[in-house]
Amino acid sequence: MDNNISPIVEIHSLSFAYPNAPHILMDINFSVLPGERIAIAGPNGAGKTTLFLNMTGLVQGSGEILVKGLRLEKHNMPVIRRTMGMIFQSPDDQLFSTRVYDDVAYGLVYQGMEKDEINRHVQRALSDVGMLNSIYAVPYHLSLGQKKRVAIASVLSMQPDIILFDEPTMGLDARSQRQFIQIANQLHQTIFIATHDMRLAATLCRRLLILDEGRLVYDGSLQLALQDPDVLEDHGLEMI
């Protein structure tokens, strides 16, 4: 890691447990430079989504999380939420309005942005994901792939520096998977992709973090991990 560049995300000794599921995350430590693309892999229940929820402040464990040098705590959350956006595994957890426009504009309205500027941001974000023609559609009537693209647009409209994708291709057909890869390849932000799909990870990322039973068991080159069957198989991941 380049010592002359400050990390955009730092996680120190992060641990987290739900009341009925202790030790979901245990002593997680890593840092990420601006512009990195990080794949976070591991078997189901390894803690990938819980890590993201901690990083966005939706749940809070012990330890320390820094985003652009700001400690993730209540008085910094307005700034951090403009810096980091998360796309959930299920778009139905993210889309709740009666029009696509309103879902993509929601965060901008909350920020108090002027109407003309909101319109520009919404149209740009929808154009970036190929959904501008559906700007006034009802999200409920869209396909899963279209819903996921609208959810991405709702985050892109906020122009965050960091984007977290939780199992972004889960349930998608081959065409929708290709559309997601095309969108992700055009992004300039720091990107985290939680997935168990090593083909997707290898397509979009160079660095791999593997979580297993709540512990960070690998942090290094994704390509090197792919060349070592034991690294993947020992942690429930398939070779490609």
Side-chain angles (χ1 to χ4, degrees), residues 11-71:
I11 295 183
H12 304 290
S13 303
L14 174 64
S15 296
F16 181 84
Y18 294 107
N20 60 343
H23 310 308
I24 296 296
L25 296 174
M26 290 177 283
D27 195 28
I28 304 296
N29 294 273
F30 65 88
S31 59
V32 174
L33 294 178
E36 280 198 271
R37 294 180 168 213
I38 311 295
I40 301 180
N44 290 336
K48 302 186 296 295
T49 299
T50 300
L51 174 61
F52 279 3
L53 294 177
N54 275 269
M55 290 172 65
T56 53
L58 294 174
V59 300
Q60 186 175 2
S62 60
E64 182 179 58
I65 298 175
L66 301 174
V67 178
K68 296 185 76 171
L70 292 176
R71 183 181 172 91

Side-chain angles (χ1 to χ4, degrees), residues 141-161:
H141 294 158
L142 300 177
S143 69
L144 176 62
Q146 290 171 326
K147 287 180 181 179
K148 288 205 173 192
R149 284 189 278 156
V150 172
I152 294 171
S154 72
V155 170
L156 292 182
S157 69
M158 304 287 289
Q159 298 184 305
D161 297 315

Side-chain angles (χ1 to χ4, degrees), residues 210-227:
I210 298 177
L211 290 175
D212 198 353
E213 296 183 350
R215 295 190 181 277
L216 181 59
V217 296
Y218 181 90
D219 178 359
S221 164
L222 195 152
Q223 288 301 321
L224 288 178
L226 292 176
Q227 295 167 20

Side-chain angles (χ1 to χ4, degrees), residues 9 49 75 94 100 116 128 136 144 166 182 190 194 202 214 223 232:
V9 174
T49 299
H75 71 276
Q94 203 151 355
V100 165
D116 287 347
D128 286 346
Y136 297 120
L144 176 62
D166 189 10
Q182 291 171 355
T190 302
Q223 288 301 321
L232 301 183

Side-chain angles (χ1 to χ4, degrees), residues 101 108 114-125:
Y101 178 95
L108 306 175
E114 295 291 333
K115 185 175 181 180
D116 287 347
E117 193 172 1
I118 289 174
N119 289 337
R120 287 195 296 271
H121 281 265
V122 169
Q123 291 183 32
R124 173 64 182 273

Side-chain angles (χ1 to χ4, degrees), residues 37-209:
R37 294 180 168 213
I38 311 295
I40 301 180
N44 290 336
K48 302 186 296 295
T49 299
T50 300
L51 174 61
F52 279 3
L53 294 177
N54 275 269
M55 290 172 65
T56 53
L58 294 174
V59 300
Q60 186 175 2
S62 60
E64 182 179 58
I65 298 175
L66 301 174
V67 178
K68 296 185 76 171
L70 292 176
R71 183 181 172 91
L72 197 153
E73 52 194 15
K74 185 174 181 179
H75 71 276
N76 288 329
M77 287 310 300
V79 175
I80 289 174
R81 285 181 174 149
R82 289 195 294 269
T83 299
M84 180 184 296
M86 178 175 172
I87 292 94
F88 292 86
Q89 178 176 329
S90 171
D92 291 332
D93 292 336
Q94 203 151 355
L95 306 178
F96 48 82
S97 300
T98 56
R99 298 189 306 170
V100 165
Y101 178 95
D102 297 321
D103 272 320
V104 179
Y106 178 81
L108 306 175
V109 173
Y110 181 78
Q111 287 183 1
M113 187 176 288
E114 295 291 333
K115 185 175 181 180
D116 287 347
E117 193 172 1
I118 289 174
N119 289 337
R120 287 195 296 271
H121 281 265
V122 169
Q123 291 183 32
R124 173 64 182 273
L126 286 171
S127 178
D128 286 346
V129 300
M131 290 296 292
L132 185 56
N133 289 340
S134 300
I135 189 168
Y136 297 120
V138 179
Y140 177 77
H141 294 158
L142 300 177
S143 69
L144 176 62
Q146 290 171 326
K147 287 180 181 179
K148 288 205 173 192
R149 284 189 278 156
V150 172
I152 294 171
S154 72
V155 170
L156 292 182
S157 69
M158 304 287 289
Q159 298 184 305
D161 297 315
I162 305 160
I163 302 178
L164 314 179
F165 292 98
D166 189 10
E167 298 286 2
T169 57
M170 180 71 72
L172 296 184
D173 59 26
R175 181 172 64 178
S176 294
Q177 290 183 30
R178 290 193 297 270
Q179 289 171 335
F180 169 73
I181 290 170
Q182 291 171 355
I183 292 167
N185 273 329
Q186 295 171 2
L187 299 176
H188 63 272
Q189 288 93 341
T190 302
I191 293 175
F192 293 80
I193 300 177
T195 184
H196 62 270
D197 183 344
M198 297 310 296
R199 190 178 301 277
L200 174 69
T203 300
L204 294 174
C205 304
R206 293 184 178 181
R207 182 176 168 192
L208 173 66
L209 307 182

